[in-house]
């Protein structure tokens, strides 16, 4: 059996090989829209899933700054694979941080080794469908647990998951977070949506038709705002900015390669590189607890940079960049994702003002 190199630090040389293999298949993945099962298996073989888990559960216990650096590299290689990883790691983190030792023992070993897949269904508690009078996913307490009824509008890889860490709302407004086994009767992942980019993430609606969930799968709650109940469980955090920086990195590296033969690209490329390094430094510092700016301000800067860098790459590629098999067009489509993915209202407002020419 082939030996697989476990990546135990962002600077590990095995990381370069992993990222190269992911990048080589990114365009094909975008064309096919197929679930990147092989890419995800490669992450498991490289030990990537161990990054997010403490050593007492068999993980590497990477720091937040290490995780940010890892996400940047993976985002530059294949945004679809990196995005799926954020949803998987979000589920794992919520299991790790809960006080339910039974759920941890049942779920974490297989998730650490990569033989199981988990994802999250929480957008309806944070940024999606919150304007509706009736919660889209309701829950009732039963004698031995809970009954889920409704749907989660945006679940990544729901049809491939063994577990969905899902949030739901009680009649009194309190919320719960459950580790939902997808094998339970009444659980159904609808056919995934066709997206502008990242269709291969198989993101779409996830239905629960009066699903009975045992109390042993309760991770948090009932509480008024279950997503704010524990540190490190916020959505749309630094990982989102890290992936934006990663995608911007891919576009800027393309520009740098092109500028070796075209002097007209040198100055704008150098300016984008300087901005990229500034945003990346602030991101790593913020992850390490050295806050020079707020996470919202950093998200705004990362969004702006990735949109401009990818469009600059398309402009530099000229007509070739508009061909379906050129990565520049894919990068532009993928960059649009950051305008809608867990985007806080202040960030969205700032991005709109910039697009309308109201900033600067």
């Amino acid at each position: 059996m082939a030996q697989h190199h476990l990546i135990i630090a962002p600077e590990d040389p095995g990381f370069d090989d992993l990222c190269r293999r992911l990048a080589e298949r990114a365009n094909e993945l975008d064309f096919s829209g197929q679930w990147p099962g092989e890419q995800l298996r490669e992450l498991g073989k490289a030990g990537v899933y161990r990054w997010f888990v403490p050593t007492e559960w068999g993980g590497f216990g990477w720091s937040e700054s290490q995780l940010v650096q890892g996400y940047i590299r993976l985002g530059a290689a294949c945004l679809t694979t990196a995005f799926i990883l954020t949803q998987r790691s979000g589920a794992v983190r919520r299991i790790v941080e809960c006080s339910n030792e039974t759920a941890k023992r049942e779920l974490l070993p297989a998730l650490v080794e990569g033989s199981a897949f988990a994802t999250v269904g929480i957008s309806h508690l944070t940024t999606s469908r919150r304007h509706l009078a009736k919660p889209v996913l309701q829950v009732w307490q039963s004698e031995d647990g809970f009954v889920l009824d409704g749907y989660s509008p945006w679940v990544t890889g729901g049809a491939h998951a063994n577990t969905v860490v899902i949030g739901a709302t009680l009649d009194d407004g309190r919320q719960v977070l459950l580790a939902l086994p997808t094998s339970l009767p009444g659980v159904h992942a609808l056919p995934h949506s066709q997206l502008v980019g990242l269709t291969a993430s198989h993101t779409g609606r996830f239905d629960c038709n009066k699903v009975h969930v045992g109390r042993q799968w309760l991770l948090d709650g009932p509480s008024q705002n279950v997503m704010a109940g524990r540190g490190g469980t916020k959505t749309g955090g630094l990982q989102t900015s890290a992936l934006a920086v990663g995608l911007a990195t891919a576009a800027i590296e393309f520009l740098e390669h092109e500028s070796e033969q075209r002097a007209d690209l040198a100055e704008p490329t150098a300016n984008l590189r300087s901005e990229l390094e500034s945003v990346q430094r602030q991101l790593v510092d913020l992850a390490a607890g050295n806050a020079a700016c707020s996470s919202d301000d950093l998200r705004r800067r990362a969004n702006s940079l990735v949109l401009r860098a990818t469009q600059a790459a398309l402009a530099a590629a000229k007509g070739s960049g508009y061909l379906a098999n050129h990565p520049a067009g894919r990068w532009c489509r993928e960059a649009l994702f950051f305008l809608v993915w867990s985007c806080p209202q202040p960030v969205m407002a700032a991005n709109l003002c910039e697009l309308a020419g109201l900033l600067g």
Side-chain angles (χ1 to χ4, degrees):
M1 181 178 292
Q3 295 296 310
H4 302 289
H5 184 90
L6 295 182
I7 295 167
I8 57 174
E11 62 275 12
D12 192 304
F15 211 165
D16 293 335
D17 291 335
L18 174 64
C19 290
R20 176 183 51 77
R21 293 193 299 272
L22 293 177
E24 286 173 351
R25 287 175 284 180
N27 265 11
E28 178 187 347
L29 186 65
D30 182 59
F31 276 127
S32 70
Q34 293 180 354
W35 178 251
E38 181 56 36
Q39 288 90 328
L40 295 172
R41 281 188 289 273
E42 285 215 32
L43 296 188
K45 293 172 185 176
V48 171
Y49 301 141
R50 298 178 187 272
W51 296 357
F52 307 93
V53 180
T55 54
E56 59 263 34
W57 289 102
F60 296 153
W62 275 26
S63 68
E64 290 298 317
S65 59
Q66 287 178 308
L67 291 175
V68 159
Q69 293 174 69
Y71 272 133
I72 290 172
R73 297 281 304 282
L74 293 173
C78 178
L79 190 67
T80 296
T81 302
F83 168 60
I84 293 169
L85 177 63
T86 67
Q87 305 306 286
R88 187 188 195 279
S89 66
V92 169
R93 177 168 290 196
R94 286 164 176 82
I95 295 168
V96 166
E97 292 175 350
C98 80
S99 58
N100 185 339
E101 296 298 320
T102 299
K104 291 181 185 181
R105 287 193 300 270
E106 288 289 328
L107 299 173
L108 287 177
L111 289 168
V112 169
E113 71 176 22
S115 60
F117 178 71
T119 188
V120 291
I122 54 176
S123 66
H124 52 286
L125 299 185
T126 56
T127 59
S128 179
R129 305 298 199 278
R130 296 189 70 195
H131 61 284
L132 300 178
K134 178 182 176 182
V136 295
L137 184 56
Q138 297 179 293
V139 63
W140 296 271
Q141 297 199 60
S142 63
E143 289 186 5
D144 58 349
F146 302 88
V147 179
L148 289 170
D149 194 48
Y151 69 95
S152 182
W154 299 108
V155 175
T156 294
H160 308 276
N162 308 96
T163 303
V164 177
V165 172
I166 200 163
T169 305
L170 291 153
D171 286 340
D172 60 8
R174 291 181 301 162
Q175 300 167 342
V176 296
L177 203 63
L178 301 166
L180 172 65
T182 58
S183 58
L184 291 177
V187 173
H188 180 56
L190 271 64
H192 62 273
S193 304
Q194 294 296 311
L195 306 176
V196 173
L198 291 87
T199 290
S201 69
H202 288 194
T203 298
R205 177 166 152 164
F206 188 86
D207 283 8
C208 295
N209 182 17
K210 294 183 173 56
V211 178
H212 292 258
V213 186
R215 188 165 294 276
Q216 72 269 28
W217 301 119
L218 177 66
L219 301 181
D220 210 341
S223 60
Q224 286 298 323
N225 187 357
V226 75
M227 298 308 299
R230 296 180 183 274
T233 59
K234 296 183 295 182
T235 60
L238 298 185
Q239 62 184 19
T240 313
S241 296
L243 263 59
V245 169
L247 183 58
T249 299
I252 292 169
E253 287 178 349
F254 170 79
L255 285 166
E256 288 172 336
H257 176 75
E258 292 294 299
S259 67
E260 293 175 2
Q261 306 297 325
R262 297 168 55 187
D264 60 308
L265 297 178
E267 184 177 1
T269 300
N271 191 67
L272 285 168
R273 167 58 71 175
S274 177
E275 184 178 354
L276 173 68
E277 291 176 351
S278 173
V279 173
Q280 184 166 336
R281 279 195 303 271
Q282 287 194 340
L283 178 58
V284 174
D285 286 346
L286 193 57
N290 305 317
C293 64
S294 69
S295 59
D296 278 1
D297 185 56
L298 188 65
R299 175 71 188 274
R300 180 195 63 77
R301 290 188 65 195
N303 278 12
S304 174
L305 175 62
V306 73
L307 288 165
R308 290 181 286 110
T310 53
Q311 291 181 52
L314 179 63
K318 299 184 179 179
S320 296
Y322 207 61
L323 294 173
N325 63 352
H326 196 288
R330 169 172 58 83
W331 294 334
C332 287
R333 287 186 287 105
E334 290 176 342
L336 297 173
F337 184 51
F338 295 98
L339 293 175
V340 299
W341 176 25
S342 297
C343 198
Q345 182 62 34
V347 176
M348 183 179 71
N351 287 147
L352 285 172
C353 287
E354 180 178 11
L355 291 169
L358 297 175
L359 295 181

